[in-house]
């Protein structure tokens, strides 16, 4: 029903920490397995045969990970597989993840222990061709243009964007400040009229 994956770093900034929560819906008997694959296709972590429960949580450490940042957006593929009692695959969930840690050091924002210098833009989810529907091709063009102009951060102006946008930001290497409609236009009218 739901998945939440956190991929961080230990204090050495080279050991990855994987923390995954799964919510399983329905009375399914069987097992869950997961595998972490690097960008070359090499398996770096695997665990199979975990008994299915309604709520599952697993953690692991991964030594010498390639870290994710806007400058070098290294991504891993986390493959989660659910098997029924007969060992047949019933669900497969691929999830791209990047190991990184954000922290404040002496009032300075840092990622993976290094200072971040934001060079960002505001972006409304809008197409000059199709209005409020933005195609994947247009999304990719927007992000390529940003990267070509040394932009490393995007603010989703007022509203969350479509899911593909966030996945592409992970791939292209862009920090995202995601707004969730915190505007108060409706309160501008005097006395609520």
């Amino acid at each position: 029903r739901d998945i939440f994956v956190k991929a961080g770093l230990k204090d050495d900034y080279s050991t990855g920490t994987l923390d995954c929560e799964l919510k399983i819906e329905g009375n399914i008997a069987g097992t869950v397995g997961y595998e972490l694959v690097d960008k070359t296709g090499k398996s770096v972590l695997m665990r199979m045969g975990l008994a299915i429960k309604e709520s599952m949580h697993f953690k692991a450490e991964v030594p010498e990970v390639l870290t994710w940042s806007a400058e070098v957006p290294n991504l891993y593929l986390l493959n989660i597989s659910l098997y029924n009692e007969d060992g047949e695959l019933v669900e497969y969930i691929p999830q791209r993840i990047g190991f990184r840690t954000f922290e404040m050091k002496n009032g300075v924002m840092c990622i993976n222990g290094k200072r971040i210098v934001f060079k960002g833009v505001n972006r409304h989810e809008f197409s000059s061709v199709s209005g409020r529907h933005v195609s994947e091709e247009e999304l990719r063009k927007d992000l390529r243009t940003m990267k070509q102009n040394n932009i490393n951060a995007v603010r989703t102006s007022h509203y969350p964007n479509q899911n593909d946008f966030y996945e592409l930001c992970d791939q292209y290497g862009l920090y995202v400040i995601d707004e969730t409609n915190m505007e108060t236009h409706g309160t501008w009218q005097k006395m609520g009229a």
Side-chain angles (χ1 to χ4, degrees):
R1 182 172 58 91
D2 195 16
I3 180 173
F4 185 39
V5 180
K6 295 172 264 190
L9 296 170
K10 293 191 76 129
D11 290 343
D12 63 3
Y13 301 112
S14 67
T15 303
T17 58
L18 180 65
D19 188 349
C20 184
E21 297 175 44
L22 298 174
K23 302 280 188 218
I24 311 290
E25 192 169 272
N27 293 327
I28 300 172
T31 61
V32 173
Y34 63 90
E35 178 183 28
L36 186 65
V37 179
D38 69 15
K39 64 183 178 181
T40 67
K42 178 184 169 195
S43 178
V44 296
L45 177 69
M46 183 185 288
R47 180 120 188 248
M48 303 304 272
L50 301 167
I52 290 180
K53 298 180 207 166
E54 187 177 328
S55 181
M56 301 184 71
H57 189 196
F58 55 83
K59 292 183 176 187
E61 288 187 5
V62 186
E64 300 179 30
V65 294
L66 298 173
T67 59
W68 185 96
S69 68
E71 294 73 30
V72 186
N74 291 307
L75 292 175
Y76 288 76
L77 183 62
L78 177 63
N79 297 311
I80 299 172
S81 303
L82 278 72
Y83 300 90
N84 64 17
E85 288 178 292
D86 298 326
E88 298 168 326
L89 182 66
V90 293
E91 187 171 4
Y92 166 72
I93 306 155
Q95 182 75 47
R96 283 196 174 99
I97 60 171
F99 289 94
R100 78 274 179 260
T101 295
F102 174 85
E103 57 194 337
M104 296 292 288
K105 287 184 169 183
N106 300 319
V108 176
M109 291 185 278
C110 297
I111 190 154
N112 308 334
K114 298 176 184 162
R115 179 180 179 211
I116 302 172
V117 176
F118 290 109
K119 295 169 264 178
V121 294
N122 292 324
R123 179 181 181 275
H124 280 273
E125 184 100 321
F126 192 83
S127 166
S128 62
V129 176
S130 56
R132 296 201 181 273
H133 168 74
V134 181
S135 69
E136 183 179 335
E137 180 183 324
E138 288 176 290
L139 282 174
R140 287 183 182 277
K141 182 181 176 189
D142 284 354
L143 298 179
R144 276 194 307 269
T145 301
M146 289 178 205
K147 291 302 282 189
Q148 289 167 351
N149 288 281
N150 296 315
I151 301 298
N152 70 355
V154 179
R155 170 183 164 247
T156 62
S157 297
H158 314 311
Y159 309 98
N161 286 206
Q162 60 182 293
N163 290 341
D164 292 345
F165 171 77
Y166 303 102
E167 292 176 16
L168 290 170
C169 285
D170 285 346
Q171 292 173 32
Y172 281 89
L174 285 154
Y175 302 114
V176 178
I177 299 167
D178 192 29
E179 291 196 352
T180 56
N181 192 15
M182 298 303 288
E183 296 180 321
T184 57
H185 293 176
T187 64
W188 291 359
Q189 297 171 337
K190 186 175 181 182
M191 306 299 280

